[in-house]
Amino acid sequence: MQGIVAEGQSQQPTTAQVFLWQPWQAEQVLPATDAATPQRWNELQLVNPDTSINKDLVLPVQHLNSDNTTWLSFLLLFVLLIFATVKAGWSKYIQNLFQSIVNYSTAERMFRERNYSFSHGAFRLDVVFYLVFSVFLFQLINFFRLDFTAGGYTLYIFCLAGTFVYFLGKKLLYKYMGFLFENTSETSEFLFNLNNTNRVAGMVLIPVVALLAFSPFSSLKIPVIIGILIVAAIYFLLVFRGVMILLRKQFSILYLFLYFCTLEFLPLVLVYKLLFDLVGKFN
């Protein structure tokens, strides 16, 4: 009979049955959960961090190489402000200073003219030199781990006082020797060049001390070597300039040798010995 399906013969589902059957089949695949709170597969699973973090995993931390204390930061900021005022008002004077340490004619012209309009700029650069050079000494003491009872800003004050006393005593000794050997004009010219080289050294050492204070690198050997080479180069330029001044004035070679051995090399040897005697005493 038409309309009667033979036994064992499969009947094809209709389109409506297929449409209703697909969602039902998807529900059978899902695990049995509470019907009132159906589980969503796209929910994030919160994991207890105490059980999943590797205790041996340590994030790298970059430490600064020196004690960047507040007083040092403010001191360098004060130095930069002074240098900015000199740069704004006496830029030509700064150019002449750098030329004078390598060009004798420029230094001689500056000594003859004695332009007192630059006196305020010169005084400010003297302040910059004493502050910056003392910071550099302070950083060298910390780098070479020289043990002193004083530390921090107290050690810096000691370096500042020592630098001021050393250069003041050196200038007074030069004036006395000039008066003794009756060559006051040559001595005055040499002291003028000494002041110029000190001012240039103060300006050049500003980035060096800033790098030593705030360097993120693991080793400070390179900036320390650069700073020492700068100081040594400027010092030997000064000694060479002094030899030129005295030779141009027909100064005796014997007196010339005694002059610099007494006023340059002997004080350095005494400072070296005094420094290491103090270190040995505190140890």
Side-chain angles (χ1 to χ4, degrees), residues 236-282:
F236 283 111
L237 285 175
L238 173 64
V239 174
F240 181 72
R241 178 61 52 79
V243 172
M244 289 183 61
I245 292 173
L246 295 179
L247 289 180
R248 288 168 67 98
K249 304 298 182 180
Q250 304 298 325
F251 202 72
S252 172
I253 300 296
L254 177 61
Y255 282 147
L256 179 64
F257 178 77
L258 294 176
Y259 206 72
F260 284 102
C261 284
T262 303
L263 300 177
E264 291 295 334
F265 306 125
L266 182 60
L268 291 178
V269 173
L270 293 177
V271 170
Y272 177 84
K273 187 177 184 304
L274 178 62
L275 180 63
F276 278 87
D277 287 343
L278 289 175
V279 174
K281 179 179 178 181
F282 291 142

Side-chain angles (χ1 to χ4, degrees), residues 67-77 135 138-139 213-214:
D67 297 329
N68 294 317
T69 52
T70 304
W71 66 268
L72 182 56
S73 301
F74 280 104
L75 178 64
L76 294 179
L77 180 61
V135 171
F138 168 79
Q139 292 170 335
F214 307 107

Side-chain angles (χ1 to χ4, degrees), residues 21 55 66 76 81 98 104 124 145 147 159 161 190 200 229 273 282:
W21 173 75
K55 300 300 182 180
S66 59
L76 294 179
L81 290 176
F98 279 95
Y104 180 71
R124 298 182 190 187
R145 301 183 185 278
D147 295 329
C159 294
F190 177 79
V200 172
L229 290 178
K273 187 177 184 304
F282 291 142

